[in-house]
Amino acid sequence: MSPLVSALHLYDIANVKGVAADLSHCNTPSQVLDFTGPSELANCLKGVDVAVIPAGVPRKPGMTRDDLFIINAGIVKTLVEAVADNCPEAFIHIISNPVNSTVPIAAEVLKQKGVYNPKKLFGVTTLDVVRANTFVTQKKNLKLIDVDVPVVGGHAGITILPLLSKTRPSVTFTNEETEELTKRIQNAGTEVVEAKAGAGSATLSMSYAAARFVESSLHALAGDPDVYECTFVQSELTELMFFASRVKLGKNGVESIISADLEGLTEYETKALEALQPELKASIEKGIEFVHKQQ
Ligand code: LMR
């Protein structure tokens, strides 16, 4: 529905034609094209400005996002190789889980191909922000439109760290509220997986969040000077190679990483930030090793 989308290229290994026919009837100015199977992947990617990768298998109840690594790592690697060959200048949005590992996988693949631009590779963590905004709004009876909670770290369990003390407009939380909201935001993906009882994970709220991140990217590409989103990117904010935080987006991707959100944290947030780092580090290293072992 975004007027910023001029064309939508859909790729999958099956069932793309029906989805494309269906979408193409919406009265938007964008052209919808379908591409099926590896032989059509290159043509799908040529000329695109933003490549969004949500491919792979979803969780079932009892699984962590990391349990998907064994299948999704290879899928992401293959798709990013094609992106590197056909649209190396594109913004790359990685949605496939485990994001904490698939983004490092994408970075290594792009390095091997000689086209890695850390400013243009993004792990999509917008859904964590969307959830944080929703849950804080409900808890505090606020107007949703006004609420913005930065969420930093990564996209799995305790690596998802909502910085409630940085909520805008400023809101105060009791210790109990902070604990309850933080846990709910961290487990929100699992809440959906359990409610779907074996039929997959979040798709509709995920699409909503992904669309928001794509639209922000398109605004940035169009020269809008005021585009900020939280996203998992190469970063020097912590000792970790990749870290989600608010970034300013511009025509060339990440224009700056907003460090201010990590200043003046509460004791709860400071401890949580410490606690998440070993798990996030291990997930990043797992992704990097996966690509190196394949050589
Ligand atoms: C989510 O946060 O909903 C997604 O990462 C899917 C999942 O497995 O939780």
Side-chain angles (χ1 to χ4, degrees):
M1 297 308 294
S2 170
L4 295 169
V5 178
S6 53
L8 197 55
H9 290 189
L10 305 177
Y11 172 81
D12 207 337
I13 49 175
N15 304 325
V16 199
K17 280 204 181 311
V19 176
D22 190 354
L23 267 178
S24 70
H25 293 183
C26 297
N27 61 326
T28 77
S30 64
Q31 185 196 25
V32 182
L33 296 177
D34 60 279
F35 301 84
T36 305
S39 65
E40 297 188 2
L41 182 54
N43 280 342
C44 172
L45 292 169
K46 285 205 174 89
V48 312
D49 296 311
V50 180
V52 183
I53 304 185
V57 293
R59 289 197 278 158
K60 290 201 185 322
M63 290 171 84
T64 66
R65 291 180 182 82
D66 186 58
D67 293 332
L68 305 175
F69 186 97
I70 192 153
I71 298 179
N72 291 356
I75 295 174
V76 170
K77 180 171 177 284
T78 305
L79 292 172
V80 175
E81 281 165 355
V83 169
D85 291 341
N86 295 289
C87 53
E89 299 290 322
F91 283 20
I92 308 171
H93 293 186
I94 307 280
I95 294 172
S96 312
N97 272 316
V99 165
N100 292 354
S101 301
T102 51
V103 171
I105 287 174
E108 291 310 300
V109 168
L110 294 162
K111 280 181 203 167
Q112 285 180 351
K113 293 273 188 184
V115 293
Y116 179 47
N117 181 349
K119 296 186 184 325
K120 292 190 172 182
L121 175 64
F122 307 92
V124 179
T125 58
T126 323
L127 183 50
D128 300 316
V129 175
V130 164
R131 286 169 169 156
N133 293 351
T134 307
F135 302 159
V136 165
T137 298
Q138 287 167 351
K139 185 100 208 150
K140 295 301 217 178
N141 286 323
L142 302 168
K143 270 223 228 110
L144 184 56
I145 196 91
D146 295 333
V147 174
D148 186 29
V149 183
V151 183
V152 301
H155 180 66
I158 63 159
T159 72
I160 300 168
L161 178 56
L163 299 178
L164 295 170
S165 70
K166 307 281 171 173
T167 300
R168 277 169 301 176
S170 172
V171 189
T172 50
F173 298 93
T174 64
N175 291 346
E176 291 71 33
E177 284 173 335
T178 300
E179 175 100 19
E180 184 197 320
L181 281 165
T182 302
K183 292 227 158 82
R184 172 132 198 245
I185 295 159
Q186 290 175 334
N187 292 322
T190 307
E191 189 177 311
V192 180
V193 169
E194 279 167 5
K196 290 199 173 184
S201 56
T203 51
L204 301 175
S205 52
M206 183 62 248
S207 309
Y208 171 76
R212 165 173 154 174
F213 193 64
V214 169
E215 196 166 34
S216 290
S217 298
L218 295 177
H219 274 293
L221 282 165
D224 186 330
D226 197 23
V227 184
Y228 294 84
E229 286 288 355
C230 285
T231 169
F232 185 64
V233 289
Q234 184 174 313
S235 172
E236 290 176 0
L237 268 190
T238 66
E239 282 170 13
L240 302 169
M241 195 186 295
F242 294 90
F243 191 80
S245 66
R246 261 185 337 126
V247 307
K248 183 175 196 304
L249 295 173
K251 278 189 178 176
N252 298 314
V254 176
E255 230 166 57
S256 58
I257 290 183
I258 311 302
S259 57
D261 287 338
L262 291 192
E263 288 159 17
L265 297 182
T266 63
E267 198 186 328
Y268 181 88
E269 291 163 347
T270 307
K271 282 197 183 137
L273 180 59
E274 278 291 306
L276 72 79
Q277 299 201 27
E279 178 178 328
L280 188 48
K281 185 169 189 278
S283 300
I284 292 169
E285 283 168 0
K286 187 170 174 178
I288 294 171
E289 269 164 35
F290 172 79
V291 178
H292 290 178
K293 274 199 201 129
Q294 309 267 308
Q295 282 176 322

